[in-house]
Amino acid sequence: NNYLTDYISLPTRVQITDPDYTYISVTANVQYDSTATTKAADEIQGIVVNAIQSYSTNNLELFNADFRYSKFVAAIDAADPSITSNQSEILIVKRISPLLNYNSSFVLDYNNPAEVETRISAEGYVAGAPFYDEPQITSSSFTYVDSTGTQWPLSYIRDDNFGNLVVYTTINNIFTVIANIGTVNYTTGVLTISNFTTSFYNQYISIYLDPQNDDVLVNKDKILEIQLSDVTVSVINTQK
């Protein structure tokens, strides 16, 4: 209870904080030399998935444990002698589980800057219209409920390349913005979402940030983890 805090001497005070989980999504494209092994491509794929899971277990999943990209890709290369290289892309993931049919708000701290263009007009930069570039913020699908109560299946979140977050869907192959729902600070990696209502999603909604740096850093109250649901591995024969 907070009222006891003033009566506890400093050396014996203990503050307990719930961990703030952040996840890493991995898309790994692995090349292997089929002449150097009797293993099939799907076996190599399984070996790589296990190596990724082991990396998470042994190097992450603790407070203040940073993700180091060079060590991660080295662990994939070392997973089997036949592996010749890998190109792995990462995204930082936060998950939300809003109450269905309830207006919700969230503040998500990714603790890392997003990948954005350097916008220096003196160097010839000319800003495009909103949505002129690939998004830095994306999400898994959900059914969005707008202010009139209309439901929009297969909706997604993305940024407009200018720091605004929207819900959108595709109608007859046409990108359609449904609502503005918040902002993203590309420098700090903080997302603010408000007036968000959904009537359906699968287990949780994943919201992805494309980081500026391949290393992902956390502070003392955050835990990084790579879960199998966020891992995609493709394996091809080495191209020569």
Side-chain angles (χ1 to χ4, degrees):
N1 292 325
N2 292 336
Y3 72 87
L4 291 176
T5 301
D6 293 338
Y7 301 96
I8 301 175
S9 61
L10 286 174
T12 58
R13 290 183 185 177
V14 177
Q15 184 174 3
I16 299 174
T17 302
D18 291 332
D20 179 5
Y21 279 92
T22 302
Y23 303 92
I24 296 177
S25 170
V26 177
T27 300
N29 298 302
V30 179
Q31 293 194 31
Y32 84 114
D33 184 356
S34 60
T35 66
T37 181
T38 59
K39 301 183 182 76
D42 59 344
E43 293 177 277
I44 299 296
Q45 182 184 47
I47 290 170
V48 170
V49 169
N50 288 337
I52 292 172
Q53 191 169 30
S54 294
Y55 177 89
S56 180
T57 301
N58 296 328
N59 298 278
L60 306 177
E61 303 182 25
L62 294 171
F63 286 113
N64 212 30
D66 298 328
F67 172 88
R68 298 297 181 181
Y69 182 80
S70 62
K71 294 181 179 179
F72 174 72
V73 294
I76 293 178
D77 283 345
D80 190 87
S82 67
I83 293 175
T84 55
S85 68
N86 78 91
Q87 291 183 324
S88 296
E89 297 180 357
I90 65 163
L91 298 172
I92 309 176
V93 190
K94 302 293 283 188
R95 297 171 178 173
I96 60 174
S97 300
L99 293 175
L100 298 181
N101 300 301
Y102 183 81
N103 196 317
S104 301
S105 298
F106 301 91
V107 176
L108 306 177
D109 185 1
Y110 290 75
N111 201 60
N112 289 264
E115 177 68 41
V116 292
E117 290 182 331
T118 301
R119 300 175 174 178
I120 303 175
S121 58
E123 296 180 2
Y125 174 82
V126 178
F131 310 106
Y132 73 94
D133 201 359
E134 293 296 316
Q136 306 311 313
I137 305 297
T138 54
S139 78
S140 57
S141 66
F142 53 90
T143 297
Y144 182 69
V145 182
D146 68 18
S147 58
T148 68
T150 301
Q151 300 197 36
W152 300 83
L154 295 178
S155 293
Y156 302 86
I157 296 169
R158 68 157 286 175
D159 65 297
D160 68 350
N161 305 119
F162 286 90
N164 302 302
L165 297 176
V166 303
V167 173
Y168 76 94
T169 191
T170 302
I171 301 175
N172 297 325
N173 295 319
I174 298 174
F175 172 80
T176 304
V177 173
I178 303 170
N180 295 308
I181 60 162
T183 60
V184 51
N185 185 317
Y186 296 119
T187 302
T188 62
V190 174
L191 274 65
T192 303
I193 298 173
S194 58
N195 298 320
F196 181 81
T197 306
T198 177
S199 61
F200 174 80
Y201 55 87
N202 288 316
Q203 192 174 1
Y204 47 77
I205 299 172
S206 294
I207 303 179
Y208 306 92
L209 179 141
D210 186 3
Q212 184 180 69
N213 306 305
D214 288 329
D215 287 351
V216 178
L217 308 181
V218 294
N219 54 27
K220 60 184 180 180
D221 67 335
K222 289 182 171 58
I223 293 178
L224 285 174
E225 184 176 355
I226 304 173
Q227 293 193 341
L228 292 183
S229 59
D230 293 317
V231 174
T232 301
V233 175
S234 62
V235 177
I236 62 171
N237 200 18
T238 299
Q239 304 296 307
K240 295 184 178 180

